[in-house]
Amino acid sequence: MTSIGVITFPGSLDDRDAQRAVRLAGATPVALWHGSHSLEGVDAIVLPGGFSYGDYLRCGAIASLSPIMAEVIDAAAKGMPVLGICNGFQMLTEAHLLEGGLIRNDHGSFICRDQKLRVENASTAWTTGFETGAEITVPLKNGEGGFIADAETIARLEGDGRVVFRYLEVNPNGSLNDIAGISNARGNVVGLMPHPEHATEEGFGPDTALAMRNGTDGLTIFTSAIASLVSA
Amino acid sequence: MPVIVVEVMPKPELLDPQGKAVAGALHRLGMAGIAGVRIGKRFEVTVDEVTDAVLAEVTRLAEDMFSNSVIEDVVSITTIPTATGS
């Protein structure tokens, strides 16, 4: 069975939610530890959300220098699917696995809402289960989620189809071009600020037109990775 | 012991929400003549001695770890010599 590792850093919050999402998607979750140098033979990796090291220095900066990140960077270079959610996205930019950076929300406040997104690229390792242009809703909760990069980088990300998720209706944090998530050139490394792992089980997700807390749009991100690995 | 001081600022072209919030508070307090506030970081690195090699290493750290060149600039690296008798 496919196994997906979820790395816990000091201050990670959503590691167990990510493990649960992996299990609901049909893979075996493996708890990995930031201080280790072993990926325990997993097939893919999730860097979960939270506030590693209390967001000291810069969000994700100290975690990106963890022992296990050397193995993550090696594995990403070999094509292993890596997903960074929120603080995990911040770590991926700090580790230079993804371009750009995340800064404090333009309005200066923490924000928590059910966020509508458009899937702009359905060919990454984490999005093959979507149709291009699919609209999904997953929770978003961040204080420093404003995606920025220089104009040349933004143009390249847009031109190469590496904007994977885009905010719809509301830009919750001032991200340039409403960018919610991006990928590396190969498409195996994806980072996004919203939290798909919180929309994977009926009764525990965002509200839908049908019922309260019934949204499970995030599950496809995890099933996509499993399908990508099986077909690889 | 000598201290190497590294100062890091958000890039000038980027919005600095912290500075904007402080500037907003100043305006609400009726402070006139303040056009804006930007907030950065100051690192004080205590070292055994300041040599060319130590300065080069702290400069490398300033660029690679203390700052993220996507969002910030290292604006100064200065040295405070050992205070005698301390």
Coordinates of all heavy atoms in Angstrom, one line a residue, chain A residues 162-216:
Chain A
R162 N 2.4 27.1 -13.5 CA 2.7 26.6 -12.2 C 1.9 27.3 -11.1 O 2.2 27.0 -9.9 CB 4.2 26.8 -12.0 CG 5.0 25.8 -12.8 CD 6.4 26.2 -13.0 NE 7.0 26.4 -11.7 CZ 8.2 27.0 -11.5 NH1 8.9 27.4 -12.5 NH2 8.7 27.1 -10.3
V163 N 1.0 28.1 -11.4 CA 0.0 28.6 -10.4 C -1.0 27.4 -10.4 O -1.7 27.1 -11.3 CB -0.7 29.9 -10.8 CG1 -1.8 30.2 -9.8 CG2 0.3 31.0 -10.9
V164 N -1.1 26.7 -9.3 CA -1.9 25.5 -9.2 C -3.3 25.8 -8.6 O -4.3 25.3 -9.1 CB -1.2 24.4 -8.3 CG1 -2.0 23.2 -8.2 CG2 0.2 24.1 -8.8
F165 N -3.3 26.7 -7.6 CA -4.6 27.1 -7.0 C -4.7 28.6 -6.9 O -3.7 29.3 -6.6 CB -4.7 26.6 -5.5 CG -4.6 25.1 -5.4 CD1 -3.4 24.5 -5.1 CD2 -5.7 24.3 -5.7 CE1 -3.4 23.1 -4.9 CE2 -5.7 22.9 -5.6 CZ -4.5 22.3 -5.2
R166 N -5.9 29.1 -7.2 CA -6.1 30.6 -7.2 C -7.3 30.9 -6.3 O -8.3 30.2 -6.4 CB -6.2 31.1 -8.6 CG -5.9 32.6 -8.7 CD -6.1 33.2 -10.1 NE -5.5 32.5 -11.2 CZ -4.2 32.8 -11.6 NH1 -3.5 33.7 -11.1 NH2 -3.7 32.1 -12.6
Y167 N -7.2 31.9 -5.5 CA -8.3 32.4 -4.7 C -9.4 32.9 -5.6 O -9.2 33.6 -6.5 CB -7.9 33.5 -3.7 CG -6.9 33.0 -2.7 CD1 -5.6 33.6 -2.7 CD2 -7.1 32.0 -1.8 CE1 -4.7 33.3 -1.7 CE2 -6.2 31.6 -0.9 CZ -5.0 32.2 -0.8 OH -4.0 31.8 0.1
L168 N -10.7 32.5 -5.2 CA -11.8 33.0 -6.0 C -12.7 33.8 -5.0 O -12.8 33.5 -3.8 CB -12.7 31.8 -6.5 CG -12.2 31.0 -7.7 CD1 -13.2 29.9 -8.0 CD2 -11.9 31.9 -8.8
E169 N -13.3 34.8 -5.5 CA -14.3 35.7 -4.8 C -13.6 36.6 -3.8 O -13.8 37.8 -3.8 CB -15.4 34.9 -4.2 CG -16.3 34.2 -5.2 CD -17.3 33.3 -4.6 OE1 -17.4 33.2 -3.3 OE2 -18.0 32.6 -5.3
V170 N -12.8 36.1 -2.9 CA -12.1 36.9 -1.9 C -10.6 36.5 -1.9 O -10.2 35.4 -2.0 CB -12.6 36.5 -0.5 CG1 -11.8 37.2 0.6 CG2 -14.1 37.0 -0.4
N171 N -9.8 37.6 -2.0 CA -8.3 37.4 -1.8 C -8.1 37.6 -0.3 O -8.1 38.7 0.1 CB -7.5 38.4 -2.7 CG -6.0 38.2 -2.5 OD1 -5.6 37.7 -1.5 ND2 -5.3 38.5 -3.6
P172 N -7.8 36.5 0.4 CA -7.9 36.7 1.9 C -6.7 37.3 2.5 O -6.7 37.6 3.7 CB -8.1 35.2 2.4 CG -7.4 34.4 1.3 CD -7.6 35.2 0.0
N173 N -5.6 37.5 1.8 CA -4.3 37.9 2.4 C -3.5 38.8 1.5 O -2.3 39.1 1.9 CB -3.6 36.6 2.8 CG -3.5 35.6 1.7 OD1 -3.6 35.9 0.5 ND2 -3.5 34.3 2.1
G174 N -4.0 39.2 0.4 CA -3.2 40.2 -0.4 C -2.2 39.5 -1.4 O -1.3 40.1 -1.9
S175 N -2.4 38.1 -1.6 CA -1.5 37.4 -2.5 C -1.5 38.0 -3.9 O -2.6 38.3 -4.4 CB -1.9 35.9 -2.5 OG -1.7 35.3 -1.3
L176 N -0.3 38.1 -4.5 CA -0.3 38.7 -5.8 C -1.0 37.7 -6.8 O -0.9 36.5 -6.7 CB 1.2 38.8 -6.3 CG 2.0 39.8 -5.5 CD1 3.5 39.9 -6.0 CD2 1.4 41.2 -5.7
N177 N -1.7 38.3 -7.7 CA -2.5 37.5 -8.7 C -3.4 36.5 -8.1 O -3.8 35.5 -8.7 CB -1.5 36.8 -9.7 CG -0.8 37.7 -10.7 OD1 -0.6 38.9 -10.4 ND2 -0.4 37.2 -11.8
D178 N -3.8 36.8 -6.9 CA -4.7 35.8 -6.1 C -4.1 34.4 -6.0 O -4.9 33.4 -6.0 CB -6.1 35.8 -6.8 CG -6.8 37.1 -6.9 OD1 -6.5 38.0 -6.0 OD2 -7.6 37.3 -7.8
I179 N -2.8 34.3 -6.0 CA -2.2 33.0 -6.0 C -2.3 32.4 -4.6 O -1.9 32.9 -3.6 CB -0.7 33.1 -6.4 CG1 -0.6 33.5 -7.9 CG2 0.0 31.8 -6.1 CD1 0.8 33.8 -8.3
A180 N -2.9 31.1 -4.6 CA -3.1 30.4 -3.3 C -2.1 29.3 -3.2 O -1.8 28.8 -2.1 CB -4.5 29.8 -3.3
G181 N -1.6 28.7 -4.4 CA -0.7 27.6 -4.4 C 0.1 27.5 -5.7 O -0.5 27.9 -6.7
I182 N 1.3 27.0 -5.6 CA 2.1 26.9 -6.8 C 2.9 25.5 -6.8 O 2.8 24.8 -5.8 CB 3.2 28.0 -6.9 CG1 4.1 28.0 -5.6 CG2 2.5 29.4 -7.0 CD1 5.3 28.9 -5.7
S183 N 3.5 25.2 -7.9 CA 4.3 24.0 -8.0 C 5.7 24.3 -8.4 O 6.0 25.4 -8.9 CB 3.6 23.0 -8.9 OG 3.9 23.4 -10.2
N184 N 6.6 23.3 -8.3 CA 7.9 23.4 -9.0 C 7.7 23.1 -10.5 O 6.6 22.7 -10.9 CB 8.9 22.5 -8.3 CG 8.6 21.1 -8.4 OD1 7.5 20.7 -8.8 ND2 9.6 20.2 -8.0
A185 N 8.8 23.2 -11.2 CA 8.7 23.0 -12.7 C 8.2 21.6 -13.0 O 7.5 21.4 -13.9 CB 10.0 23.3 -13.3
R186 N 8.7 20.6 -12.2 CA 8.4 19.2 -12.5 C 6.9 18.8 -12.1 O 6.4 17.9 -12.6 CB 9.4 18.4 -11.7 CG 9.4 16.9 -12.1 CD 10.6 16.3 -11.5 NE 10.6 14.8 -11.6 CZ 11.7 14.1 -11.3 NH1 12.8 14.6 -10.9 NH2 11.6 12.8 -11.5
G187 N 6.4 19.6 -11.1 CA 5.0 19.4 -10.7 C 4.9 18.4 -9.6 O 3.7 18.0 -9.2
N188 N 6.0 17.9 -9.0 CA 5.9 17.0 -7.9 C 5.8 17.7 -6.6 O 5.3 17.2 -5.6 CB 7.1 16.0 -7.9 CG 8.4 16.6 -7.8 OD1 8.8 17.5 -8.5 ND2 9.2 16.2 -6.8
V189 N 6.4 18.9 -6.5 CA 6.3 19.7 -5.3 C 5.2 20.8 -5.4 O 5.3 21.6 -6.3 CB 7.7 20.4 -5.0 CG1 7.6 21.2 -3.7 CG2 8.8 19.3 -4.9
V190 N 4.3 20.7 -4.5 CA 3.2 21.7 -4.5 C 3.0 22.3 -3.1 O 3.1 21.6 -2.1 CB 1.8 21.0 -4.9 CG1 0.7 22.0 -4.7 CG2 1.9 20.6 -6.4
G191 N 2.8 23.6 -3.0 CA 2.6 24.3 -1.8 C 1.3 25.1 -1.9 O 1.1 25.7 -2.9
L192 N 0.5 25.2 -0.8 CA -0.6 26.1 -0.8 C -0.9 26.5 0.6 O -0.6 25.9 1.6 CB -1.9 25.4 -1.4 CG -2.6 24.4 -0.6 CD1 -4.0 24.1 -1.3 CD2 -1.9 23.1 -0.4
M193 N -1.5 27.7 0.7 CA -1.8 28.3 2.0 C -3.1 27.6 2.6 O -3.2 27.4 3.8 CB -1.9 29.8 2.0 CG -0.6 30.5 1.9 SD 0.7 30.0 3.1 CE -0.1 30.4 4.7
P194 N -4.2 27.4 1.8 CA -5.4 26.8 2.4 C -5.1 25.3 2.8 O -4.1 24.8 2.5 CB -6.4 26.9 1.2 CG -5.8 27.9 0.3 CD -4.4 27.8 0.4
H195 N -6.1 24.8 3.6 CA -5.9 23.5 4.3 C -6.8 22.4 3.7 O -7.9 22.2 4.3 CB -6.2 23.7 5.7 CG -5.1 24.4 6.5 ND1 -4.1 23.8 7.2 CD2 -4.8 25.7 6.6 CE1 -3.3 24.7 7.7 NE2 -3.7 25.9 7.4
P196 N -6.4 21.7 2.7 CA -7.2 20.6 2.1 C -7.4 19.5 3.1 O -8.5 18.8 3.0 CB -6.4 20.1 0.9 CG -5.0 20.6 1.1 CD -5.1 21.9 1.9
E197 N -6.5 19.3 4.1 CA -6.6 18.2 5.0 C -7.8 18.4 6.0 O -8.3 17.4 6.6 CB -5.3 18.0 5.8 CG -5.1 18.9 7.0 CD -4.6 20.3 6.6 OE1 -4.8 20.7 5.4 OE2 -4.1 21.0 7.5
H198 N -8.3 19.6 6.0 CA -9.5 19.9 6.9 C -10.8 19.7 6.1 O -11.9 20.1 6.6 CB -9.5 21.3 7.5 CG -8.3 21.5 8.4 ND1 -7.8 20.5 9.3 CD2 -7.6 22.6 8.7 CE1 -6.8 21.0 10.0 NE2 -6.6 22.3 9.6
A199 N -10.7 19.3 4.9 CA -12.0 19.1 4.1 C -11.9 17.7 3.5 O -11.9 17.5 2.2 CB -12.1 20.2 3.0
T200 N -11.9 16.7 4.3 CA -11.7 15.3 3.8 C -12.7 14.3 4.4 O -12.7 13.2 4.0 CB -10.3 14.8 4.2 OG1 -10.1 14.9 5.6 CG2 -9.2 15.6 3.4
E201 N -13.6 14.8 5.3 CA -14.6 13.9 5.9 C -15.9 14.6 6.1 O -15.9 15.7 6.7 CB -14.0 13.3 7.2 CG -14.9 12.2 7.8 CD -14.3 11.6 9.0 OE1 -13.2 12.1 9.5 OE2 -14.9 10.7 9.6
E202 N -17.0 14.0 5.7 CA -18.3 14.7 5.9 C -18.5 14.8 7.4 O -18.3 13.9 8.2 CB -19.4 13.8 5.3 CG -19.4 13.9 3.8 CD -20.6 13.1 3.2 OE1 -21.5 12.7 3.9 OE2 -20.6 13.0 1.9
G203 N -19.0 16.0 7.8 CA -19.3 16.3 9.2 C -18.1 17.1 9.8 O -18.3 17.6 10.9
F204 N -17.0 17.2 9.1 CA -15.8 17.8 9.7 C -15.2 18.8 8.7 O -14.0 19.2 8.9 CB -14.8 16.8 10.1 CG -15.3 15.8 11.1 CD1 -15.8 14.6 10.7 CD2 -15.2 16.1 12.5 CE1 -16.3 13.7 11.7 CE2 -15.7 15.2 13.4 CZ -16.2 14.0 13.0
G205 N -15.9 19.2 7.7 CA -15.3 20.1 6.6 C -16.1 21.4 6.6 O -16.8 21.8 7.5
P206 N -15.9 22.1 5.5 CA -16.6 23.4 5.3 C -18.1 23.1 5.0 O -18.4 22.0 4.6 CB -16.0 24.0 4.1 CG -14.8 23.1 3.7 CD -15.0 21.8 4.4
D207 N -18.9 24.1 5.2 CA -20.3 24.0 4.9 C -20.5 23.8 3.4 O -19.7 24.4 2.6 CB -21.1 25.2 5.4 CG -21.2 25.3 6.9 OD1 -20.8 24.3 7.6 OD2 -21.6 26.4 7.4
T208 N -21.5 23.1 3.0 CA -21.9 23.0 1.6 C -23.3 23.4 1.5 O -24.0 23.6 2.5 CB -21.7 21.5 1.0 OG1 -22.7 20.7 1.7 CG2 -20.3 21.0 1.3
A209 N -23.8 23.5 0.2 CA -25.2 23.9 0.0 C -26.1 22.8 0.6 O -27.2 23.0 1.0 CB -25.5 24.1 -1.5
L210 N -25.6 21.6 0.6 CA -26.3 20.4 1.0 C -26.5 20.3 2.5 O -27.6 20.0 3.1 CB -25.6 19.1 0.5 CG -26.4 17.8 0.5 CD1 -27.6 17.9 -0.5 CD2 -25.5 16.6 0.2
A211 N -25.4 20.5 3.2 CA -25.4 20.3 4.7 C -24.2 21.1 5.3 O -23.2 21.3 4.6 CB -25.3 18.8 5.0
M212 N -24.3 21.3 6.6 CA -23.3 22.0 7.3 C -22.0 21.0 7.4 O -22.2 19.8 7.6 CB -23.7 22.3 8.8 CG -24.7 23.5 8.8 SD -25.4 23.6 10.5 CE -23.9 24.0 11.4
R213 N -20.9 21.6 7.3 CA -19.6 20.9 7.5 C -19.4 19.7 6.7 O -18.7 18.7 7.1 CB -19.4 20.6 9.0 CG -19.3 21.9 9.9 CD -19.0 21.6 11.3 NE -20.1 21.2 12.1 CZ -21.0 22.1 12.6 NH1 -20.8 23.4 12.5 NH2 -22.0 21.7 13.3
N214 N -20.0 19.7 5.5 CA -20.0 18.4 4.7 C -19.0 18.4 3.6 O -18.9 17.4 2.9 CB -21.4 18.2 4.1 CG -22.0 16.9 4.7 OD1 -21.7 16.6 5.9 ND2 -22.9 16.3 4.0
G215 N -18.2 19.5 3.4 CA -17.3 19.6 2.3 C -16.1 18.7 2.4 O -15.5 18.6 3.4
T216 N -15.9 18.0 1.3 CA -14.7 17.0 1.3 C -13.9 17.3 0.1 O -13.2 16.4 -0.4 CB -15.2 15.6 1.3 OG1 -16.0 15.4 0.1 CG2 -16.0 15.2 2.5

